[in-house]
Amino acid sequence: MFRAEDIPLSLYIHLPWCDKKCPYCDFNSHLLRDQNQFEEYTGALISQLRGWSELFKNRKIKTVYFGGGTPNLFPIDLVETLFKEIHLAMDFEEDSEISFEVNPLNMHRNSSIEEYFFGLNHLGVNRISVGAQSFDDISLKKIGRTHSPAEIELFLMEVCKIFTNVNIDLMYGLPGQNQIKVRKDIDTLKTFNVTHTSYYQLTIEPGTMFYSNVPKLPSEDVIWDMYSLITNELARNGYSRYEVSAYSKDGMRCQHNMNYWEFGDYIGIGAGAHSKITKNNLMERRIVISNPVNYVEKVQSNNQFFKKTSHLPGAEVLFEYILNASRLTKGFEILDFENRTGLEFSNEQEKFCLASEKGLIDITLDKVIPTKLGLNFLNNLQEIFTPINSY
């Protein structure tokens, strides 16, 4: 049995459009072709939210996250409409974290940067995540970003005037990048004194433009040196690494992402959004169709727009838990593992012991903690828990 009543619940809203598709991006994002798409899509989001109200009945929302795509392409009045519906549909925990992703310069055409962010702040958004990726002009051009370093910095100055909880996304291992450029990115990051940074290594994913036209990347040794520089410099400047790619000031971890990594529940609203809902006898997953035009059409015509599956406690649930929780530097408590998977830890010890023998985890009386080796070779750790009949 799962312990559904002990599992926190988050809400994710997917706003899928961008001005341009980045060549490395494998997210469910789409080129914006018609401004009228916003209003129809908002209507579909509201219909889905109302139709799924039974999923959050008698449960409070811990976090809300508006992701994309480029959410700040959405007109602020439609964002306000969504907020009103969210507050009508569900209750929030005290001091809920409400995050909104933004990209530099990708603002709705009728709003200034300042007006837009004041609008978000007024609606209750208390955390902003900025997709900078780099502060180096050549690096930005090589990964297809349309903004300049000066534009990013001006954008961030406006964000930081209004919000105190700000994340900056950065990347390393980019074409033509070296340690000097990475150090420059970190030095620029420090000037904004933001609370959080997500620092990702560029990977070439299937279905992306880079996958069919692979750029020349730095060598593995150079990438490792970049990674070492990043972890050391961020630690020196007060950022603690709490997840494979996430660093925060004290008390400023991203609570929404923590809920994913700790195998909490979440409801995904919008095209391509995923949901995980725990009930006492099973775990239910829902995946919404990914194309936003098809999503709107199916919602409007009351046709099925998502796929639903149910899982009993077993190998797939074990694998999914490890896939998430093994990313956290603090590891996980054995009691939480049992409550959120419905599994007895003692029945799964063979795989945990194998991971321990390989030096990938440490097992204490009440916790499992990934070692430095385990964090650096996460795929090797996660493979140990892959179901025999893996999907």
Side-chain angles (χ1 to χ4, degrees), residues 20 23 136-147 210:
K20 180 187 176 185
D136 178 75
D137 192 46
I138 294 174
S139 295
L140 289 168
K141 287 175 180 174
K142 288 193 173 183
I143 60 171
R145 302 293 282 183
T146 58
H147 45 253
F210 273 172

Side-chain angles (χ1 to χ4, degrees), residues 85-256:
E85 288 293 331
I86 291 167
H87 282 288
L88 285 173
M90 55 188 62
D91 293 324
F92 287 73
E93 291 184 8
E94 275 191 53
D95 300 322
S96 297
E97 178 191 88
I98 303 177
S99 301
F100 201 95
E101 281 185 356
V102 295
N103 277 317
L105 291 189
N106 292 130
M107 307 304 299
H108 185 251
R109 290 11 178 213
N110 296 326
S111 297
S112 72
I113 295 173
E114 186 178 52
E115 287 172 341
Y116 198 90
F117 287 125
F118 269 123
L120 291 179
N121 184 253
H122 177 72
L123 291 172
V125 172
N126 50 31
R127 184 177 186 274
I128 294 289
S129 181
V130 182
Q133 315 314 345
S134 176
F135 295 104
D136 178 75
D137 192 46
I138 294 174
S139 295
L140 289 168
K141 287 175 180 174
K142 288 193 173 183
I143 60 171
R145 302 293 282 183
T146 58
H147 45 253
S148 70
E151 288 166 337
I152 298 171
E153 291 183 39
L154 178 62
F155 187 86
L156 279 165
M157 286 173 63
E158 294 297 327
V159 172
C160 292
K161 283 179 189 175
I162 300 167
F163 293 93
T164 57
N165 191 359
V166 177
N167 168 70
I168 297 178
D169 284 349
L170 290 171
M171 299 176 72
Y172 69 98
L174 306 180
Q177 196 180 40
N178 55 32
Q179 279 187 282
I180 295 172
K181 292 184 176 183
V182 169
R183 186 177 289 279
K184 178 187 171 186
D185 281 349
I186 296 171
D187 287 343
T188 307
L189 172 74
K190 288 179 337 193
T191 65
F192 291 100
N193 195 32
V194 294
T195 54
H196 191 286
T197 181
S198 298
Y199 222 130
Y200 303 102
Q201 181 184 343
L202 172 64
T203 55
I204 308 300
E205 301 292 348
T208 64
M209 286 178 269
F210 273 172
Y211 191 77
S212 55
N213 187 19
V214 181
K216 181 174 173 54
L217 301 179
S219 68
E220 287 187 8
D221 287 343
V222 171
I223 290 174
W224 178 258
D225 288 341
M226 291 179 190
Y227 163 76
S228 299
L229 173 66
I230 290 163
T231 53
N232 292 334
E233 282 298 305
L234 289 177
R236 193 172 292 129
N237 286 277
Y239 294 92
S240 299
R241 185 191 188 203
Y242 68 96
E243 188 267 345
V244 169
S245 303
Y247 306 77
S248 76
K249 295 289 182 75
D250 286 347
M252 303 307 290
R253 295 175 178 181
C254 177
Q255 295 305 310
H256 186 85

Side-chain angles (χ1 to χ4, degrees), residues 314-320 322 332 337 343-363 368 380-390:
E316 285 190 2
V317 172
L318 169 64
F319 176 65
E320 288 191 25
I322 295 299
F332 57 88
F337 165 82
L343 299 167
E344 292 286 341
F345 183 79
S346 58
N347 293 338
E348 311 300 332
Q349 275 194 304
E350 184 178 347
K351 290 180 178 180
F352 284 107
C353 287
L354 177 59
S356 179
E357 289 166 10
K358 291 178 177 291
L360 300 172
I361 60 171
D362 288 326
I363 305 173
V368 174
N380 299 70
L381 170 56
Q382 292 168 347
E383 281 172 7
I384 292 172
F385 296 87
T386 304
I388 295 173
N389 298 317
S390 182

Side-chain angles (χ1 to χ4, degrees), residues 268-381:
I269 304 295
H274 290 227
S275 300
K276 168 187 170 284
I277 303 298
T278 306
K279 301 174 181 179
N280 282 334
N281 59 339
L282 55 82
M283 186 184 77
E284 180 180 296
R285 286 199 174 275
R286 297 186 181 192
I287 304 175
V288 179
I289 58 174
S290 60
N291 185 284
V293 175
N294 294 343
Y295 163 73
V296 170
E297 288 175 350
K298 287 187 178 292
V299 172
Q300 287 178 340
S301 58
N302 292 317
N303 287 325
Q304 184 76 359
F305 60 89
F306 66 96
K307 183 173 78 171
K308 181 168 72 173
T309 57
S310 296
H311 305 272
L312 295 169
E316 285 190 2
V317 172
L318 169 64
F319 176 65
E320 288 191 25
Y321 183 91
I322 295 299
L323 204 62
N324 288 279
S326 63
R327 299 180 63 88
L328 293 169
T329 58
K330 71 180 179 69
F332 57 88
E333 294 185 6
I334 291 171
L335 180 61
D336 281 345
F337 165 82
E338 293 182 333
N339 286 343
R340 299 195 182 189
T341 63
L343 299 167
E344 292 286 341
F345 183 79
S346 58
N347 293 338
E348 311 300 332
Q349 275 194 304
E350 184 178 347
K351 290 180 178 180
F352 284 107
C353 287
L354 177 59
S356 179
E357 289 166 10
K358 291 178 177 291
L360 300 172
I361 60 171
D362 288 326
I363 305 173
T364 69
L365 186 65
D366 60 352
K367 290 192 76 173
V368 174
I369 305 167
T371 62
K372 187 175 181 180
L373 182 70
L375 289 169
N376 291 337
F377 294 92
L378 199 56
N379 287 344
N380 299 70
L381 170 56

